[in-house]
Amino acid sequence: QAQLVESGGGLVQAGGSLRLSCAASGRTFSRNSLAWFRQAPGMEREFVAGFSYSGSSTYYANSVKGRFTISRDNAKNEGYLQMNSVKPEDTAVYFCAISPTNRNRGTRRDYSGWGQGTQVTVSS
């Protein structure tokens, strides 16, 4: 089973940018679909962006479309979430997740591998 570790979170001013990284151990990262989820205080964990492992197909939640970009570097066993034009409502713990099926979107139950999360706080 792959181990995932997120990094890059922190405090950022509204309108600024931040890049989150997801480092994966193991040998199966390239054959797993990648996704980012987030969970704000008192809220359910929600899908943010996804990247299939076959076909390089991406999908974004409407709330982040046009602002966030998901990417991956299989040679480095890493995934990324570039966050631009961030808003206070983007404040949440961000989780990296993987799925053994080829998909660019899904619910929490569709992804079986998870990182510990990294906090992103956007100040107004």
Side-chain angles (χ1 to χ4, degrees), residues 13-92:
Q13 185 176 338
S17 298
L18 202 65
R19 191 181 81 156
L20 307 183
S21 297
C22 174
S25 63
R27 305 169 185 85
T28 62
F29 179 77
S30 64
R31 295 187 181 274
N32 277 264
S33 298
L34 171 71
W36 288 92
F37 287 73
R38 68 186 182 187
Q39 188 166 15
M43 303 294 287
E44 296 296 316
R45 192 169 299 184
E46 65 174 349
F47 174 85
V48 175
F51 199 140
S52 68
Y53 72 78
S54 179
S56 300
S57 177
T58 60
Y59 186 85
Y60 298 91
N62 288 334
S63 59
V64 307
K65 193 174 301 180
R67 300 188 297 118
F68 292 6
T69 302
I70 187 172
S71 61
R72 63 189 297 165
D73 188 336
N74 290 336
K76 297 180 179 180
N77 285 342
E78 291 184 344
Y80 310 95
L81 184 68
Q82 179 66 46
M83 306 169 61
N84 295 331
S85 302
V86 296
K87 305 174 181 180
E89 51 262 45
D90 294 322
T91 295

Side-chain angles (χ1 to χ4, degrees), residues 38-41 87-94 119-123:
R38 68 186 182 187
Q39 188 166 15
K87 305 174 181 180
E89 51 262 45
D90 294 322
T91 295
V93 176
Y94 283 73
Q119 176 71 49
V120 173
T121 302
V122 182
S123 62

Side-chain angles (χ1 to χ4, degrees), residues 98-116:
I98 57 173
S99 170
T101 61
N102 192 42
R103 65 193 319 123
N104 64 2
R105 73 197 75 173
T107 63
R108 184 173 180 175
R109 70 181 66 182
D110 293 320
Y111 294 85
S112 56
W114 294 86
Q116 84 291 343

